[in-house]
Amino acid sequence: MSDPGGTKFADWQAIRELTATYNRCFDKSDAAGWAGTFLESGRLEIIDQEVTYTGRDQLSEFCRSRGWGILHMTLDPEVTVDGDHAEQRCNLLMFRRYESQERPTLLATGRYSDRLVRTSNGWRFAVRQVQLDTRLGAREEVSP
């Protein structure tokens, strides 16, 4: 017997795994891996900075330009799946890691609002918008 909710749960899990891959790849400066979480034409929109990065080349360059030191955590996901399209909203905690400090410092909080598309290689971000609502700790450009 098939479970109609099972497919949606599998999609939810795959989207959460994609989000975790996004976080891990950015945090270890894996630009190709991070850009690969997006469609070829995917976009990252940083709302409070009024900046948009479009396509995997721009996305890769953005990730490379940030280097090591950011630590992303995404929490409280709300995922809605409609066939081969999905939306996700989740909260963001962003930390700054320093080689000289034992513990990371909270840098920012915010929210992601995502539009995703199912591809032959799994779910990918079509558009990922981030709205940062606080900047704490060091005064620097934040890298969602």
Short mmCIF file of all heavy atoms in Angstrom, two decimals, residues 19-55:
data_model
loop_
_atom_site.label_atom_id
_atom_site.label_comp_id
_atom_site.label_asym_id
_atom_site.label_seq_id
_atom_site.Cartn_x
_atom_site.Cartn_y
_atom_site.Cartn_z
N THR A 19 19.48 22.03 1.74
CA THR A 19 19.78 23.19 2.57
C THR A 19 21.02 22.95 3.43
O THR A 19 21.88 23.83 3.57
CB THR A 19 18.56 23.54 3.46
OG1 THR A 19 17.44 23.77 2.60
CG2 THR A 19 18.81 24.76 4.31
N ALA A 20 21.15 21.74 3.97
CA ALA A 20 22.34 21.40 4.76
C ALA A 20 23.59 21.41 3.88
O ALA A 20 24.66 21.89 4.30
CB ALA A 20 22.15 20.04 5.43
N THR A 21 23.47 20.93 2.65
CA THR A 21 24.59 20.95 1.72
C THR A 21 24.99 22.38 1.41
O THR A 21 26.19 22.72 1.37
CB THR A 21 24.24 20.19 0.42
OG1 THR A 21 23.98 18.82 0.75
CG2 THR A 21 25.37 20.26 -0.60
N TYR A 22 24.01 23.25 1.18
CA TYR A 22 24.25 24.68 0.96
C TYR A 22 25.08 25.24 2.13
O TYR A 22 26.10 25.89 1.93
CB TYR A 22 22.90 25.38 0.85
CG TYR A 22 22.91 26.89 0.86
CD1 TYR A 22 22.75 27.61 -0.31
CD2 TYR A 22 23.03 27.61 2.06
CE1 TYR A 22 22.70 29.00 -0.31
CE2 TYR A 22 22.99 28.99 2.07
CZ TYR A 22 22.83 29.68 0.89
OH TYR A 22 22.80 31.05 0.91
N ASN A 23 24.62 24.97 3.35
CA ASN A 23 25.31 25.48 4.54
C ASN A 23 26.74 24.95 4.62
O ASN A 23 27.69 25.72 4.80
CB ASN A 23 24.55 25.09 5.81
CG ASN A 23 23.21 25.77 5.93
OD1 ASN A 23 22.90 26.72 5.23
ND2 ASN A 23 22.38 25.25 6.81
N ARG A 24 26.89 23.64 4.54
CA ARG A 24 28.23 23.02 4.69
C ARG A 24 29.20 23.48 3.61
O ARG A 24 30.35 23.78 3.90
CB ARG A 24 28.12 21.51 4.70
CG ARG A 24 27.64 20.93 6.01
CD ARG A 24 27.83 19.43 6.06
NE ARG A 24 27.12 18.74 5.00
CZ ARG A 24 25.85 18.33 5.06
NH1 ARG A 24 25.15 18.54 6.16
NH2 ARG A 24 25.30 17.71 4.05
N CYS A 25 28.73 23.51 2.35
CA CYS A 25 29.62 23.91 1.26
C CYS A 25 30.07 25.36 1.41
O CYS A 25 31.26 25.66 1.25
CB CYS A 25 28.95 23.70 -0.09
SG CYS A 25 28.83 21.96 -0.58
N PHE A 26 29.15 26.27 1.74
CA PHE A 26 29.55 27.67 1.92
C PHE A 26 30.52 27.79 3.08
O PHE A 26 31.55 28.46 2.97
CB PHE A 26 28.34 28.57 2.16
CG PHE A 26 28.66 30.03 1.99
CD1 PHE A 26 28.40 30.67 0.80
CD2 PHE A 26 29.24 30.75 3.03
CE1 PHE A 26 28.72 32.02 0.64
CE2 PHE A 26 29.56 32.08 2.88
CZ PHE A 26 29.30 32.72 1.67
N ASP A 27 30.23 27.09 4.17
CA ASP A 27 31.04 27.22 5.37
C ASP A 27 32.45 26.68 5.20
O ASP A 27 33.36 27.10 5.90
CB ASP A 27 30.34 26.53 6.55
CG ASP A 27 29.03 27.20 6.92
OD1 ASP A 27 28.72 28.31 6.41
OD2 ASP A 27 28.27 26.61 7.71
N LYS A 28 32.66 25.75 4.27
CA LYS A 28 34.01 25.25 4.03
C LYS A 28 34.60 25.78 2.72
O LYS A 28 35.60 25.28 2.24
CB LYS A 28 34.05 23.72 4.08
CG LYS A 28 33.28 23.02 3.02
CD LYS A 28 33.38 21.51 3.22
CE LYS A 28 32.63 20.79 2.10
NZ LYS A 28 32.69 19.36 2.23
N SER A 29 33.98 26.82 2.16
CA SER A 29 34.45 27.50 0.95
C SER A 29 34.50 26.58 -0.26
O SER A 29 35.36 26.71 -1.12
CB SER A 29 35.82 28.14 1.18
OG SER A 29 35.74 29.08 2.21
N ASP A 30 33.56 25.65 -0.36
CA ASP A 30 33.44 24.78 -1.53
C ASP A 30 32.52 25.49 -2.52
O ASP A 30 31.31 25.25 -2.55
CB ASP A 30 32.88 23.42 -1.11
CG ASP A 30 32.60 22.49 -2.28
OD1 ASP A 30 32.82 22.88 -3.45
OD2 ASP A 30 32.17 21.35 -2.01
N ALA A 31 33.10 26.39 -3.31
CA ALA A 31 32.31 27.24 -4.20
C ALA A 31 31.52 26.44 -5.23
O ALA A 31 30.35 26.73 -5.48
CB ALA A 31 33.22 28.25 -4.90
N ALA A 32 32.13 25.43 -5.83
CA ALA A 32 31.43 24.63 -6.84
C ALA A 32 30.29 23.85 -6.21
O ALA A 32 29.18 23.80 -6.77
CB ALA A 32 32.41 23.70 -7.54
N GLY A 33 30.53 23.26 -5.06
CA GLY A 33 29.48 22.51 -4.38
C GLY A 33 28.33 23.42 -3.96
O GLY A 33 27.16 23.07 -4.11
N TRP A 34 28.67 24.60 -3.44
CA TRP A 34 27.65 25.55 -3.00
C TRP A 34 26.82 26.03 -4.19
O TRP A 34 25.58 26.01 -4.15
CB TRP A 34 28.29 26.72 -2.26
CG TRP A 34 27.31 27.71 -1.75
CD1 TRP A 34 26.47 27.54 -0.68
CD2 TRP A 34 27.03 29.00 -2.28
NE1 TRP A 34 25.70 28.68 -0.51
CE2 TRP A 34 26.03 29.58 -1.48
CE3 TRP A 34 27.54 29.72 -3.35
CZ2 TRP A 34 25.53 30.84 -1.72
CZ3 TRP A 34 27.04 30.99 -3.60
CH2 TRP A 34 26.05 31.54 -2.77
N ALA A 35 27.48 26.46 -5.27
CA ALA A 35 26.76 26.93 -6.45
C ALA A 35 25.92 25.80 -7.06
O ALA A 35 24.87 26.05 -7.65
CB ALA A 35 27.73 27.49 -7.47
N GLY A 36 26.37 24.56 -6.89
CA GLY A 36 25.63 23.41 -7.41
C GLY A 36 24.32 23.14 -6.70
O GLY A 36 23.52 22.34 -7.17
N THR A 37 24.06 23.81 -5.58
CA THR A 37 22.75 23.66 -4.92
C THR A 37 21.69 24.51 -5.62
O THR A 37 20.51 24.39 -5.31
CB THR A 37 22.81 24.03 -3.42
OG1 THR A 37 23.13 25.42 -3.27
CG2 THR A 37 23.82 23.16 -2.68
N PHE A 38 22.13 25.35 -6.56
CA PHE A 38 21.23 26.20 -7.34
C PHE A 38 21.05 25.64 -8.75
O PHE A 38 21.91 24.92 -9.25
CB PHE A 38 21.82 27.61 -7.48
CG PHE A 38 21.84 28.42 -6.22
CD1 PHE A 38 22.88 28.28 -5.31
CD2 PHE A 38 20.84 29.34 -5.94
CE1 PHE A 38 22.92 29.04 -4.15
CE2 PHE A 38 20.87 30.10 -4.79
CZ PHE A 38 21.90 29.95 -3.89
N LEU A 39 19.96 26.02 -9.40
CA LEU A 39 19.83 25.79 -10.83
C LEU A 39 20.94 26.54 -11.54
O LEU A 39 21.51 27.50 -10.98
CB LEU A 39 18.48 26.32 -11.34
CG LEU A 39 17.21 25.67 -10.83
CD1 LEU A 39 15.98 26.45 -11.34
CD2 LEU A 39 17.13 24.22 -11.27
N GLU A 40 21.24 26.18 -12.79
CA GLU A 40 22.25 26.93 -13.57
C GLU A 40 21.94 28.42 -13.58
O GLU A 40 22.84 29.25 -13.55
CB GLU A 40 22.31 26.40 -15.01
CG GLU A 40 22.94 25.04 -15.15
CD GLU A 40 24.45 25.06 -15.01
OE1 GLU A 40 25.08 26.14 -15.15
OE2 GLU A 40 25.00 23.98 -14.76
N SER A 41 20.66 28.76 -13.64
CA SER A 41 20.23 30.16 -13.69
C SER A 41 19.77 30.66 -12.32
O SER A 41 19.13 31.71 -12.22
CB SER A 41 19.07 30.31 -14.69
OG SER A 41 17.98 29.50 -14.27
N GLY A 42 20.09 29.93 -11.26
CA GLY A 42 19.62 30.26 -9.91
C GLY A 42 20.11 31.61 -9.43
O GLY A 42 21.10 32.16 -9.93
N ARG A 43 19.38 32.14 -8.43
CA ARG A 43 19.68 33.47 -7.90
C ARG A 43 19.72 33.45 -6.38
O ARG A 43 18.88 32.82 -5.75
CB ARG A 43 18.55 34.43 -8.28
CG ARG A 43 18.75 35.22 -9.47
CD ARG A 43 17.71 36.29 -9.76
NE ARG A 43 16.49 36.37 -8.99
CZ ARG A 43 15.31 35.95 -9.43
NH1 ARG A 43 15.17 35.37 -10.60
NH2 ARG A 43 14.24 36.12 -8.69
N LEU A 44 20.66 34.19 -5.83
CA LEU A 44 20.70 34.50 -4.40
C LEU A 44 20.46 36.00 -4.29
O LEU A 44 21.20 36.80 -4.88
CB LEU A 44 22.05 34.15 -3.78
CG LEU A 44 22.23 34.62 -2.33
CD1 LEU A 44 21.30 33.85 -1.39
CD2 LEU A 44 23.68 34.45 -1.89
N GLU A 45 19.42 36.37 -3.55
CA GLU A 45 19.09 37.78 -3.35
C GLU A 45 19.30 38.11 -1.88
O GLU A 45 18.66 37.51 -1.02
CB GLU A 45 17.65 38.06 -3.75
CG GLU A 45 17.36 37.76 -5.20
CD GLU A 45 15.89 37.88 -5.57
OE1 GLU A 45 15.05 38.19 -4.67
OE2 GLU A 45 15.58 37.66 -6.75
N ILE A 46 20.20 39.05 -1.60
CA ILE A 46 20.45 39.50 -0.24
C ILE A 46 19.67 40.81 -0.08
O ILE A 46 20.11 41.86 -0.54
CB ILE A 46 21.95 39.69 0.04
CG1 ILE A 46 22.71 38.40 -0.32
CG2 ILE A 46 22.18 40.07 1.50
CD1 ILE A 46 24.21 38.53 -0.29
N ILE A 47 18.50 40.70 0.52
CA ILE A 47 17.53 41.79 0.53
C ILE A 47 18.07 43.06 1.19
O ILE A 47 18.01 44.13 0.60
CB ILE A 47 16.22 41.34 1.22
CG1 ILE A 47 15.64 40.10 0.54
CG2 ILE A 47 15.21 42.48 1.27
CD1 ILE A 47 15.32 40.23 -0.91
N ASP A 48 18.63 42.95 2.39
CA ASP A 48 19.04 44.17 3.11
C ASP A 48 20.24 44.85 2.46
O ASP A 48 20.46 46.03 2.65
CB ASP A 48 19.30 43.88 4.58
CG ASP A 48 20.50 42.99 4.81
OD1 ASP A 48 20.61 41.95 4.13
OD2 ASP A 48 21.33 43.32 5.66
N GLN A 49 21.02 44.12 1.65
CA GLN A 49 22.17 44.71 0.97
C GLN A 49 21.84 45.07 -0.47
O GLN A 49 22.68 45.62 -1.19
CB GLN A 49 23.36 43.75 1.02
CG GLN A 49 23.87 43.51 2.41
CD GLN A 49 24.97 42.46 2.47
OE1 GLN A 49 25.59 42.11 1.47
NE2 GLN A 49 25.23 41.95 3.66
N GLU A 50 20.60 44.74 -0.92
CA GLU A 50 20.15 45.00 -2.28
C GLU A 50 21.15 44.47 -3.31
O GLU A 50 21.52 45.16 -4.25
CB GLU A 50 19.87 46.49 -2.48
CG GLU A 50 18.76 47.00 -1.58
CD GLU A 50 18.45 48.47 -1.79
OE1 GLU A 50 19.00 49.09 -2.72
OE2 GLU A 50 17.65 49.00 -1.01
N VAL A 51 21.56 43.21 -3.10
CA VAL A 51 22.53 42.57 -3.97
C VAL A 51 21.94 41.25 -4.46
O VAL A 51 21.29 40.54 -3.70
CB VAL A 51 23.85 42.28 -3.22
CG1 VAL A 51 24.82 41.51 -4.07
CG2 VAL A 51 24.47 43.58 -2.73
N THR A 52 22.17 40.95 -5.75
CA THR A 52 21.72 39.69 -6.32
C THR A 52 22.88 39.05 -7.07
O THR A 52 23.61 39.72 -7.79
CB THR A 52 20.54 39.92 -7.31
OG1 THR A 52 19.45 40.49 -6.59
CG2 THR A 52 20.10 38.62 -7.94
N TYR A 53 23.04 37.74 -6.88
CA TYR A 53 24.02 36.95 -7.61
C TYR A 53 23.23 35.96 -8.45
O TYR A 53 22.42 35.19 -7.91
CB TYR A 53 24.96 36.23 -6.65
CG TYR A 53 25.74 37.19 -5.79
CD1 TYR A 53 25.26 37.56 -4.54
CD2 TYR A 53 26.91 37.77 -6.25
CE1 TYR A 53 25.95 38.47 -3.75
CE2 TYR A 53 27.61 38.68 -5.48
CZ TYR A 53 27.13 39.03 -4.23
OH TYR A 53 27.81 39.93 -3.46
N THR A 54 23.45 35.96 -9.78
CA THR A 54 22.68 35.14 -10.68
C THR A 54 23.59 34.22 -11.48
O THR A 54 24.60 34.68 -12.03
CB THR A 54 21.87 36.02 -11.67
OG1 THR A 54 21.03 36.90 -10.90
CG2 THR A 54 21.00 35.17 -12.57
N GLY A 55 23.22 32.96 -11.53
CA GLY A 55 24.00 31.97 -12.29
C GLY A 55 25.14 31.41 -11.47
O GLY A 55 25.64 32.05 -10.54
#
